[in-house]
Amino acid sequence: MFSQASTAPSPATTAAASAAEAAAHPAPHAKQDLPRAHSSRGGRYARLPLLAGKGFIPLGLFARLPLAMLTVGALTLVTAVTGSYAVGGAAAGAVGIGSALGAPVLGAWADRLGQRPALLVAAVFNTAAVVALILTAYLVPSGQDLAAAVPALVAAFVAGASCPQVGPLARVRWMALTARGSTARNAKDLDAALSYESTADELTFVLGPALVGILASLVAPWLPLALAAALTLTLVPAFAVHRTHLAVPLSVRRRRPVAGPGTASARGNGMAAVALPFLAMVCMGTFFGSTQTGLSSFSASFATAELAGLLYAVMGLSSAAAALSVAYWPTRFTLSARWMVSAVLMACLAVLLLVPASAFSMVLVLLVLGLPVGPLMVTVFAIGGVVAPAGRLGTVMTALASGIVAGTALGSSVAGQLAQHQGYSAAFLVPVCAAAALFLLGAAAAVVLRNGKARRGTQLAGSR
């Protein structure tokens, strides 16, 4: 908790300091009327509305809900219409592949053109694609014929590719907002913001599929996708034009530097620094997808496979709660150390998935297993922000999100094959391996970050 010290500067002094800082570091846009977080009363999370405005947090939370509904919504609708899990699964896979490929493209456009135009175009295009998916799904005849479902699969792919990446782009805004003002608070404010963002992701990816199931079963299978399209068309434009987008600078095309002795080495280190968090997110997605699939097989062995969604939600809730705690972790607990400690805990706790023989015991395991997951996601996103090249933050953040999507598909596929032929115990070995890979990537990231700091220190010393 932060409390306002009695020695705090007067409003006049604060205003003068802010004016001097604005003069020294002009905003990338002509006008920047963002709120300033002068007060720290109320704790670290209470500062977030002061940084971004009170309406930004609920807007960013609900504007990302359509993305969480899209994959399950496509699966539910196409399966209900065709009566084929194979065709429905293909539609869900098309959404995932489209999202994994389209997210970095949208991020690059946001870096180059600004978040507002990129999100506005994506909102309109995605709404049209989701409507097309609903219409083409009802044209698919019943049965297992994938060829007859090609129009629906194409619409599903386009819907995934054009889905607005609200979560990653919200992180970009928080990184820009927490870079303003007192540098003493920047790291703590950023920890709080990224912790909240990971919690928001967890909540929406628990709420989204649940909402799809309720609406599809009680009303009609097309309704969840129709609701997702309506939310996209209304909330995403509101998020796009929210004044926080003014804090994010546009990337500018720079001349290619003259090749020198250290140019190739620096470029290689930069690529490795970005590739490591991306691969970590692929492993994180593999952990998620394989755990979901293993839980489906586990549930079907004594009850129904539908119970898996409720079991998985238990891990999501504990992960979200743990993510919120990161804002209060000491700053001397470095990002690299957080990564490796969380990954070790994930690998050790994932072994416990092999133990339960009942739903109750599995709930206990999942509650504990979720504890290191949220903090690790916060940490990897934070490292992605640290290593992102200048002007490419949106590209990196959306690439990390697409890594989760791609990894989820990979983990579901591998664990599904193991569950089919060897049982759910074999499927649960996949999240163990994914967590172990996360630890190895964390160790490599620690080396790259340390070398990067040493290199920057050498460059600063040489420039004096």
Side-chain angles (χ1 to χ4, degrees):
M1 293 288 183
F2 289 97
S3 59
Q4 196 162 7
S6 58
T7 58
S10 66
T13 304
T14 304
S18 299
E21 182 186 358
H25 304 284
H29 294 71
K31 180 180 179 182
Q32 188 154 340
D33 53 351
L34 297 169
R36 292 281 185 174
H38 291 300
S39 173
S40 60
R41 186 181 293 112
R44 298 182 184 180
Y45 287 103
R47 286 178 50 80
L48 298 184
L50 300 177
L51 285 167
K54 294 181 179 179
F56 180 72
I57 290 179
L59 180 59
L61 175 65
F62 291 105
R64 77 188 73 192
L65 188 59
L67 177 61
M69 299 172 64
L70 189 54
T71 302
V72 181
L75 171 66
T76 302
L77 173 62
V78 176
T79 301
V81 171
T82 64
S84 169
Y85 286 104
V87 180
V95 171
I97 294 171
S99 179
L101 296 177
V105 176
L106 178 63
W109 285 350
D111 284 335
R112 178 65 61 185
L113 305 175
Q115 288 195 13
R116 181 171 60 180
L119 285 169
L120 289 175
V121 171
V124 175
F125 199 75
N126 182 254
T127 301
V130 172
V131 172
L133 173 58
I134 296 173
L135 296 177
T136 55
Y138 279 98
L139 298 178
V140 179
S142 300
Q144 305 282 334
D145 187 7
L146 283 175
V150 167
L153 297 181
V154 171
F157 175 84
V158 175
S162 60
C163 197
Q165 299 294 317
V166 173
L169 295 182
R171 287 180 170 90
V172 174
R173 296 190 188 189
W174 284 119
M175 289 177 183
L177 290 169
T178 54
R180 305 163 65 239
S182 172
T183 56
R185 290 194 193 276
N186 287 351
K188 295 177 181 178
D189 286 343
L190 183 57
D191 271 346
L194 294 183
S195 298
Y196 159 73
E197 285 296 321
S198 292
T199 302
D201 284 342
E202 294 279 4
L203 291 177
T204 53
F205 278 96
V206 170
L207 177 62
L211 189 59
V212 169
I214 293 171
L215 294 177
S217 60
L218 295 182
V219 185
W222 57 265
L223 184 58
L225 288 179
L227 177 60
L231 291 174
T232 297
L233 193 59
T234 54
L235 296 183
V236 172
F239 176 84
V241 301
H242 191 275
R243 62 181 181 268
T244 50
H245 80 90
L246 296 171
V248 182
L250 300 181
S251 66
V252 294
R253 188 178 297 276
R254 295 176 174 84
R255 296 178 60 186
R256 186 182 298 274
V258 178
T263 303
S265 176
R267 187 181 298 116
N269 288 331
M271 292 178 61
V274 174
L276 288 171
F278 172 76
L279 291 175
M281 284 309 192
V282 173
C283 291
M284 183 69 74
T286 303
F287 179 88
F288 292 151
S290 57
T291 302
Q292 289 174 334
T293 304
L295 287 174
S296 295
S297 179
F298 171 81
S299 302
S301 66
F302 66 90
T304 62
E306 286 74 14
L307 181 62
L310 296 176
L311 292 175
Y312 187 74
V314 171
M315 187 177 75
L317 292 175
S318 64
S319 173
L324 288 174
S325 72
V326 175
Y328 300 97
W329 290 10
T331 54
R332 62 179 178 272
F333 191 14
T334 65
L335 292 175
S336 299
R338 294 180 190 182
W339 183 336
M340 289 188 288
V341 169
S342 298
V344 166
L345 288 175
M346 279 179 62
C348 294
L349 294 175
V351 177
L352 297 178
L353 290 170
L354 303 171
V355 176
S358 66
F360 178 74
S361 56
M362 181 60 78
V363 166
L364 297 179
V365 169
L366 292 170
L367 274 174
V368 179
L369 178 58
L371 295 178
V373 173
L376 183 53
M377 286 189 65
V378 174
T379 301
V380 175
F381 271 116
I383 289 180
V386 170
V387 302
R392 294 291 183 267
L393 189 55
T395 306
V396 172
M397 289 295 106
T398 50
L400 296 185
S402 71
I404 296 178
V405 175
T408 300
L410 175 63
S412 298
S413 175
V414 174
Q417 292 295 323
L418 291 174
Q420 179 70 29
H421 300 290
Q422 306 293 333
Y424 65 81
S425 295
F428 282 141
L429 293 176
V430 180
V432 177
C433 294
L438 278 167
F439 172 77
L440 296 178
L441 290 169
V447 174
V448 171
L449 289 174
R450 184 169 60 249
N451 291 342
K453 288 180 181 179
R455 186 169 58 255
R456 286 192 296 271
T458 302
Q459 290 172 348
L460 288 174
S463 64
R464 291 172 182 169

